[in-house]
């Protein structure tokens, strides 16, 4: 009759031991994710990028683009364009003989942007047709496809299309009273025009003219217009503007600024450096002392969450934090890029298989796409800039590591206290 009692006593003990072991292993895994390099810089191959892209292709083939479209207006487009751009940037790091896979996947993504589902949310009546969001991002990816091909062996049809689309974008900017073209009827966001203008700079790099940059004067006028319409609160490009004259209509926000800072360096490196310094000062924070993150609204200002920002715990935008990895990387800000990437590895709960890697259990593939694109970031037009002064403490991991140690050790504390109590109560000489 004593054996059942003994078994009953051992079962909770074994359960507590299992919980303690699992907690310890999770804490150890978290520490590894905080400490192991999570980016490769502008030249190196980011850790885990190949299985990330393998997961994204599987997800796209299974209808992830259509599902993303149900979540926000550009879901289908964004998921495909980021997948294609990540392949372009991976291909840029590879020798010419190893680029066919990158070229194939980038072309596959580009074809989806030109499809009926890719154009569905946008209006053909806009100038340029389908709006600056669709045309700018598409042109940037099309230029990336050409970048992967040797100058003397580029596909003539792709060159003609890139030339024609660039000309249409350039003409739209030249004819506009505002530096910011419409993405939807009656709606304009500066970030969309930044991407489009970067694609014109890319055109002049890939297809140089003997008379000088074809869109050089267009870019100069655009920059002058931008400098005259900065957000008065932050000195940055505003989040949203009046669609007619481009005057600021909404304060600069992290979800768009993280993208602006990614592309602006390829338009005007000096202006980009000024803007990046302002952005980093006003938006990069460390709430509760637990690692660098990016606010949606500038310090001292709070605002509502929306589809662009996602949820805003403590004012932090998770999407802006992820995209800022790429912005920091193109600016040569390795400390911030590395810290944000390590933080994402901890908070993103990545799951590995022998073939794939996904974050948040793969429930939101567009988040995986933004992360893959951010970790492969590099300037396409401008030379790598001089690194800015670091603003991330080398000890930023200490609070998070301390928390992990505490979480890993907590399940063992009762047993440790019982052991100490038994030793204390043991008779002297026993």
């Amino acid at each position: 009759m004593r054996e059942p009692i003994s078994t009953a006593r051992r079962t909770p003990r074994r359960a507590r031991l299992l919980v303690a072991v699992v907690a310890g292993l999770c804490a150890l895994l978290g520490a590894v994710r905080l400490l192991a390099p999570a980016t490769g810089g502008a030249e190196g191959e980011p850790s885990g990028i190949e299985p990330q892209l393998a997961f994204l292709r599987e997800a796209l083939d299974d209808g992830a683009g259509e599902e993303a479209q149900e979540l926000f207006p550009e879901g289908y487009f964004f998921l495909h364009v980021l997948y294609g751009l990540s392949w372009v940037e991976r291909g840029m790091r590879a020798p010419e003989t190893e680029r066919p896979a990158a070229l194939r996947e980038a072309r596959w993504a580009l074809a989806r942007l030109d499809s009926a589902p890719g154009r569905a949310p946008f209006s053909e009546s806009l100038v340029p047709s389908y709006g600056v969001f669709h045309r700018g991002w598409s042109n940037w990816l099309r230029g990336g496809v050409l970048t992967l091909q040797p100058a003397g062996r580029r596909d003539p049809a792709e060159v003609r299309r890139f030339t024609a689309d660039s000309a249409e974008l350039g003409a739209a900017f030249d004819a506009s009273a505002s530096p910011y073209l419409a993405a939807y009827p009656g709606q304009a966001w500066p970030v969309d025009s930044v991407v489009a203008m970067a694609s014109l700079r890319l055109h002049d790099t890939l297809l140089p003219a003997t008379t000088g940059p074809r869109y050089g004067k267009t870019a100069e006028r655009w920059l002058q217009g931008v400098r005259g319409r900065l957000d008065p609160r932050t000195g940055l490009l505003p989040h949203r503007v009046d669609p007619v004259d481009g005057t600021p209509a909404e304060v600069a926000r992290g979800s768009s600024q993280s993208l602006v800072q990614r592309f602006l360096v390829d338009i005007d490196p000096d202006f980009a450096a000024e803007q990046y310094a302002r952005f980093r000062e006003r938006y990069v924070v460390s709430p509760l002392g637990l690692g660098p993150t990016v606010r949606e609204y500038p310090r001292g200002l709070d605002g509502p969450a929306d589809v662009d920002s996602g949820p805003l715990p403590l004012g932090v935008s998770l999407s802006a934090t992820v995209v800022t990895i790429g912005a920091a990387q193109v600016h040569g800000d390795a400390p911030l890029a590395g810290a944000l990437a390590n933080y994402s590895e901890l908070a993103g709960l990545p799951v590995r298989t022998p073939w794939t890697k996904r974050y948040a259990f793969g429930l939101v593939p567009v988040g995986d796409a933004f992360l893959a694109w951010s970790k492969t970031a590099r300037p396409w037009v401008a030379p790598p800039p001089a690194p800015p002064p670091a603003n991330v403490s080398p000890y930023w991991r200490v609070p998070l590591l301390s928390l992990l140690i505490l979480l890993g050790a907590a399940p063992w504390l009762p047993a440790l206290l019982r052991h100490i109590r038994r030793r204390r109560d043991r008779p002297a000489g026993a």
Side-chain angles (χ1 to χ4, degrees), residues 407-427:
L407 292 175
W412 298 96
L413 290 178
L416 178 62
L417 291 174
R418 286 194 300 271
H419 176 71
I420 294 173
R421 194 179 300 115
R422 285 196 297 268
R423 288 182 62 87
R424 186 188 60 197
D425 296 342
R426 186 180 301 169

Side-chain angles (χ1 to χ4, degrees), residues 211-236:
T211 56
R214 178 173 179 181
Y215 299 107
K217 291 184 178 179
T218 300
E220 290 175 9
R221 286 194 298 271
W222 183 84
L223 284 164
Q224 184 177 2
V226 167
R227 288 190 175 98
R229 294 169 173 84
L230 296 175
D231 166 34
R233 183 184 181 101
T234 62
L236 297 166

Side-chain angles (χ1 to χ4, degrees), residues 3 20 62 98 153-154 215 217 243 248 268 271 274 324 326:
E3 182 61 25
D62 289 340
E98 298 177 14
R153 300 201 303 273
R154 290 176 181 143
Y215 299 107
K217 291 184 178 179
D268 186 306
F271 181 52
E274 297 170 8
T324 299

Side-chain angles (χ1 to χ4, degrees), residues 253-273:
R253 288 173 48 181
S255 53
S256 58
Q257 277 300 310
S258 54
L259 289 166
V260 168
Q261 305 307 324
R262 170 76 179 263
F263 286 95
L264 203 56
V265 70
D266 280 322
I267 301 173
D268 186 306
D270 293 335
F271 181 52

